[in-house]
Amino acid sequence: MTIVSSSTIIAAPPSVVRATFLDWPNLTTWDKRYMKTLTPLLPDGSSDPSKTSGLSVVPGDRVHGTFWGGEADLEILENTESQMSWKGVWHGLVAVRRFRFEEVDLENEIEGEGEGEGEGGKGLGKGRGTRFTQSEEATGFMGGVLVVDGWLGGNLKRKFAEFNEDLKGVCERDGKK
């Protein structure tokens, strides 16, 4: 099994971070490097017009995802205020992806702490924020590909970190308007 994870602290409440992440029709307005589309599906495989975003999907729903480098059909496993997860199969790789939205006190969070750095650093500000974490647990013969740069999309941890920073940027920018 291969596990890849990346976190960041966002100076916005979990409800804002979650709503931004699950606003799938507008995903590519802020994410230009990783996900292209996430489309809820009907049982026959066509798009589900009654579910226009990730806010409306429930466990058991299917979603078609297109990513920079591939596409997959995903099964929603969980969609709560604190976590969303899905399971997908791609080229023999079976993976469960989790997105967590954890409320944090910004005064107690240290710059860089989301990636295990920043001991003894300065707090991130006042108020409440979000620790956004995405992780993937993969099995199958392709699991090692997730952590190797290059072939078939390369280093997933780096892609997670870039996605997290893009999400952080849009949530913090929009929160100050």
Side-chain angles (χ1 to χ4, degrees):
M1 177 184 307
T2 301
I3 300 172
V4 178
S5 180
S6 181
S7 296
T8 192
I9 303 298
I10 301 173
S15 59
V16 169
V17 176
R18 182 174 179 268
T20 301
F21 170 72
L22 294 175
D23 182 12
W24 295 342
N26 291 306
L27 185 64
T28 57
T29 63
W30 57 268
D31 175 26
K32 308 279 189 215
R33 301 183 274 192
Y34 188 54
M35 293 189 208
K36 287 175 148 179
T37 64
L38 293 166
T39 307
L41 301 174
L42 291 167
D44 69 3
S46 62
S47 66
D48 185 343
S50 72
K51 297 185 178 187
T52 58
S53 77
L55 290 167
S56 57
V57 296
V58 297
D61 281 354
R62 290 180 30 240
V63 172
H64 184 78
T66 56
F67 307 91
W68 302 100
E71 60 185 277
D73 284 334
L74 313 166
E75 176 189 353
I76 300 298
L77 301 176
E78 180 178 8
N79 191 6
T80 67
E81 295 297 315
S82 61
Q83 180 168 284
M84 171 175 223
S85 62
W86 64 51
K87 180 180 180 179
V89 178
W90 181 72
H91 297 289
L93 176 80
V94 179
V96 174
R97 175 87 48 96
R98 288 183 176 80
F99 304 91
R100 289 189 299 276
F101 310 90
E102 176 188 358
E103 187 174 47
V104 296
D105 181 350
L106 293 175
E107 290 184 78
N108 294 326
E109 293 299 321
I110 304 302
E111 189 74 52
E113 190 174 79
E115 292 301 321
E117 306 165 4
E119 294 261 343
K122 184 177 163 187
L124 292 173
K126 296 185 183 214
R128 308 300 288 168
T130 303
R131 176 179 290 114
F132 175 75
T133 303
Q134 62 176 309
S135 63
E136 184 159 294
E137 296 174 19
T139 59
F141 74 96
M142 294 281 287
V145 170
L146 296 178
V147 294
V148 177
D149 279 325
W151 191 60
L152 286 177
N155 190 319
L156 190 59
K157 184 170 180 74
R158 185 185 72 232
K159 288 181 179 184
F160 279 5
E162 291 169 348
F163 180 89
N164 293 358
E165 286 305 307
D166 290 344
L167 179 60
K168 174 184 175 96
V170 72
C171 289
E172 291 180 355
R173 183 179 62 247
D174 289 353
K176 293 178 181 169
K177 287 182 180 178

